[in-house]
């Protein structure tokens, strides 16, 4: 884990991080059932929190 984190730092990933509190552009993604989910529709119901998880290690 430490090596992977350091590799990401050396690759310059910190220069491409979206700052906390930044406004994200609208997006649409498939949910776990393959249905389209639009961020604008979610935001209509209140604040939206996104969590990003790295995929395969």
């Amino acid at each position: 884990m430490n090596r992977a984190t350091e590799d990401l730092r050396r690759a310059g990933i910190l220069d491409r991080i979206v700052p906390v509190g930044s406004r994200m552009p609208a997006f649409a993604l498939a949910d776990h059932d393959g249905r389209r989910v639009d961020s604008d529709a979610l935001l209509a119901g209140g604040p939206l929190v996104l969590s990003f998880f790295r995929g395969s290690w």
Side-chain angles (χ1 to χ4, degrees), residues 9 17 19 24 36 38 42 49 52-53 55:
R9 284 189 178 120
I17 292 174
M24 294 291 292
R36 180 183 165 112
D38 292 299
L42 295 172
V49 175
F52 296 91
F53 295 92

Side-chain angles (χ1 to χ4, degrees), residues 4-25:
T5 301
E6 193 55 39
D7 289 346
L8 289 169
R9 284 189 178 120
R10 277 195 298 273
I13 197 169
L14 295 175
D15 297 329
R16 299 186 308 266
I17 292 174
V18 177
V20 172
S22 295
R23 182 173 287 262
M24 294 291 292

Side-chain angles (χ1 to χ4, degrees), residues 34-46:
R35 292 181 298 231
R36 180 183 165 112
V37 177
D38 292 299
S39 61
D40 289 336
L42 295 172
L43 283 168

Side-chain angles (χ1 to χ4, degrees), residues 29-37:
L29 299 169
D31 70 6
H32 63 283
D33 289 323
R35 292 181 298 231
R36 180 183 165 112
V37 177

